[in-house]
Amino acid sequence: MRKWVLPDYVEDVLPPEAQRMEATRRALLDSFAAAGYALVNPPLIEHLEALLTGTGRDLEHNTFKLIDPLSGKLLGVRPDITPQVARIDATYSGSDASTPRRYCYAGEVLRAEASIGSSRALTQVGAELFGDATVNGDVEIVRLMIASAKAAGAAPLLLDCGHVGVFKALAQHYELSPKATQAADAALAAKSSTALSDIKSLSDEARQTLATLTTLFGPAKTVLQRARAALPRNATITAALDQLEAVATAITESGAQCSLDLADLPGLDYHTGLVFVAYLQGTTHVVARGGRYDGVGEAFTQGNARARPATGFSFVDLRALAEVTA
């Protein structure tokens, strides 16, 4: 009798684990619905250009590609659902760009590469708020993430937050070239002052300020105080720090802990403001990721003024979440 072997990093989910996953999914979606988020269910496959349009191009290396036998066109299997929700908002939300719209989703994603200890076939659950460019939208999203995680049994949480606007403002302030900006981003990710020293085009002042960013991590209140004292007087930086303060207050009021890291800049070309990762307190288990990505739907508006601000999050692996909440 032949023994069937699944592809690498792809697994069946068997009882009772599948039942736990379904209960967790239901708890999350019920929390979203109670907060006014409408469920959408985009397709598993799309034309490749739609999946990789705009900010979705960062996902190209992780996207399975295939030929549609009906049309002969190149299709992609989604590696992430957020760009699809952006397409839905741009296509179906009507002509009033000022009206905030709230969406949630739960569905399979497939990735060409696997993270360490992870599957390539994941169930992703998340929520997105379109049309609110203010910090109130970010506050709403972090509160929803904490409340829904708590409803699913994932508590207490630690949220590690950053804001890409701080680094982008510094890059503009010191007139960094695209190449220097990319190198500085990599150096900050490694928290390496040595790597910053290797960027010859940086002025001494720019290098010193960027090196300061690598030290600005830890409890939110302390980091904000130090950042306001150490960073250049700049309206964009001040606004970003004010937004982080409002988000940190909301996180604490929601019963979670908040830390900040101003050198952590995931998806610099994708995110435009707040970024955050949620962990179960006392562990390294990532529960959710999110942030602001105001440019996510712009490519779907074809130059129309309806390109809308957006903020949201996703529980990146429902199976892993169900496991730690069992």
Side-chain angles (χ1 to χ4, degrees), residues 19 40 54 74 92 97 117 128 157 167 208 246 251 260 278 291 294 300 312 323-324:
Q19 182 61 37
V40 294
L74 192 59
Y92 301 111
E128 317 282 345
L157 295 180
F167 173 71
Q208 182 177 356
I251 290 169
L260 300 183
D294 287 343
F300 297 109
E323 182 178 342
V324 298

Side-chain angles (χ1 to χ4, degrees), residues 144-210:
L144 177 62
M145 194 278 296
I146 294 168
S148 56
K150 188 180 298 183
L157 295 180
L158 165 67
L159 272 71
D160 190 30
C161 303
H163 197 299
V164 302
V166 174
F167 173 71
K168 288 182 176 180
L170 290 174
Q172 184 176 27
H173 179 77
Y174 292 115
E175 299 181 342
L176 269 61
S177 68
K179 183 177 180 180
T181 298
Q182 185 177 18
D185 177 28
L188 291 176
K191 289 187 167 51
S192 173
S193 57
T194 301
L196 286 171
S197 298
D198 292 338
I199 306 174
K200 303 305 181 184
S201 61
L202 292 181
S203 67
D204 289 342
E205 182 182 357
R207 185 175 292 107
Q208 182 177 356
T209 302
L210 291 173

Side-chain angles (χ1 to χ4, degrees), residues 104-129:
C104 65
Y105 57 84
E108 297 273 344
V109 298
L110 184 65
R111 294 174 179 172
E113 300 175 0
S115 302
I116 295 175
S118 178
S119 172
R120 294 191 293 170
L122 305 170
T123 300
Q124 190 179 74
V125 184
E128 317 282 345
L129 170 58

Side-chain angles (χ1 to χ4, degrees), residues 280-306:
L280 282 177
Q281 286 185 24
T283 77
T284 58
H285 179 82
V286 175
V287 172
R289 299 181 184 273
R292 178 165 288 279
Y293 21 77
D294 287 343
V296 68
E298 185 173 357
F300 297 109
T301 64
Q302 299 179 341
N304 189 300
R306 285 189 57 258

Side-chain angles (χ1 to χ4, degrees), residues 86-102:
R87 175 184 54 75
I88 287 172
D89 181 73
T91 306
Y92 301 111
S93 65
S95 59
D96 187 0
S98 64
T99 302
R101 293 187 182 273
R102 295 165 173 83

